[in-house]
Amino acid sequence: MGKLQLILLGAPGAGKGTQAGLLSQQLGLVHISSGDLLREAQSKGTELGNVAKSYMEKGLLVPDEIIIRLILEHITVPQCRGGFILDGFPRTLEQAKALDETGEGQNLVIDRVIYINISVQELLRRLSGRWLCQRCQTPYHMVASPPKVAGRCDRCGGELYQRPDDSVEAVQKRLEVYFAQTTPLIEYYQQGGKLMEVNGEQDISQVNEEIMALLG
Ligand code: AP5
């Protein structure tokens, strides 16, 4: 498989972070998660982090101009020349168009968009059971993929925590925002002939196998 530039698209809790982590190891791609970058900025207390926090805790999207600048800064670094996987970006038509416009001039054209399709009922089950590593952001699920040692990350030993925006109220808002602002991207990439849909309701390994088979 040559150099790949991929997008993972799906609702909150669809498994984007989980699959992006696996694919980046299997395919040697740089994993760029917009949510992780924003949470990192928050924990460092930067100006960007403080602005992002006020939107994230309510389950709203951070303004397009902020997130577009942040992601373009990250995908244009030399480490991404071997390929990358975008997780959580783009999330609005404006973001997708900004990525396309930059891509054309800078060899950053997206090859495939992997859409992880999953029901609302399953999303709610997943987000309520999710724990993440404070240090490396690896996601766990208390039932589907628990850590070997309770409260500790299998990969780095970091402490596990629950995201504040996984509260019932914030999740409800995140889903509303997803259906209003992000689902138009499914048609956008379908028209561009780049969309590959996978069944996100399967086990983590089965979803991964389906994606790898589609990537050929
Ligand atoms: P972000 O961090 O991107 O959150 P999200 O899109 O809401 O997605 P999640 O991280 O919640 O879910 P996921 O699909 O990665 O699922 P995961 O693999 O963890 O964004 C957070 C906020 O930042 C936004 O609300 C917004 O404010 C801001 N933001 C980010 N990007 C932005 C942008 N582009 N524009 C504007 N604002 C932006 O899996 C979930 C759980 O399920 C885990 O516990 C996992 O272990 C489990 N699981 C995964 N797969 C399976 C499976 N197949 N079977 C069973 N369990 C599974």
Side-chain angles (χ1 to χ4, degrees):
M1 225 176 280
K3 166 184 158 170
L4 280 173
Q5 300 185 153
L6 305 175
I7 290 173
L8 274 181
L9 187 63
K16 302 182 295 296
T18 302
Q19 295 301 327
L22 293 171
L23 293 170
S24 77
Q25 287 180 353
Q26 290 162 322
L27 303 171
L29 305 175
V30 177
H31 174 189
I32 301 172
S33 157
S34 50
D36 287 353
L37 290 175
L38 294 171
R39 282 182 286 275
E40 196 185 309
Q42 272 180 47
S43 63
K44 286 185 182 152
T46 65
E47 197 187 327
L48 164 74
N50 293 335
V51 173
K53 187 168 185 246
S54 61
Y55 292 92
M56 291 170 79
E57 61 193 11
K58 295 191 196 93
L60 299 172
L61 294 184
V62 170
D64 283 338
E65 60 274 17
I66 296 182
I67 197 81
I68 290 169
R69 196 171 349 116
L70 180 71
I71 296 296
L72 294 184
E73 257 169 42
H74 278 81
I75 59 175
T76 46
V77 299
Q79 292 92 306
C80 284
R81 286 195 198 132
F84 57 81
I85 180 156
L86 285 172
D87 155 17
F89 180 93
R91 248 179 161 94
T92 63
L93 281 173
E94 280 65 28
Q95 294 176 17
K97 286 176 187 163
L99 180 61
D100 281 351
E101 279 159 23
T102 312
E104 279 163 23
Q106 299 201 35
N107 205 15
L108 292 170
V109 174
I110 297 299
D111 301 298
R112 291 269 189 276
V113 177
I114 302 157
Y115 165 48
I116 306 181
N117 194 358
I118 168 176
S119 66
V120 169
Q121 195 188 5
E122 179 66 11
L123 295 173
L124 296 176
R125 200 186 64 77
R126 290 201 190 161
L127 293 175
S128 62
R130 171 166 63 181
W131 287 76
L132 293 146
C133 174
Q134 194 83 255
R135 209 182 291 159
C136 74
Q137 304 304 321
T138 297
Y140 294 88
H141 189 277
M142 283 309 110
V143 181
S145 57
K148 292 192 182 98
V149 176
R152 290 276 157 204
C153 177
D154 294 351
R155 262 195 213 161
C156 75
E159 201 178 322
L160 304 187
Y161 78 108
Q162 283 194 294
R163 271 172 42 181
D165 64 345
D166 280 346
S167 68
V168 177
E169 303 77 39
V171 164
Q172 206 165 358
K173 193 71 209 167
R174 283 161 65 202
L175 288 178
E176 268 173 42
V177 167
Y178 170 74
F179 286 111
Q181 295 186 258
T182 307
T183 50
L185 294 183
I186 298 170
E187 202 186 325
Y188 179 81
Y189 287 117
Q190 215 157 25
Q191 281 172 357
K194 296 191 174 176
L195 198 83
M196 300 178 353
E197 181 173 332
V198 296
N199 171 9
E201 306 248 339
Q202 311 170 86
D203 287 352
I204 293 173
S205 59
Q206 288 172 317
V207 177
N208 180 248
E209 280 164 25
E210 195 179 332
I211 295 173
M212 290 297 280
L214 284 169
L215 289 174

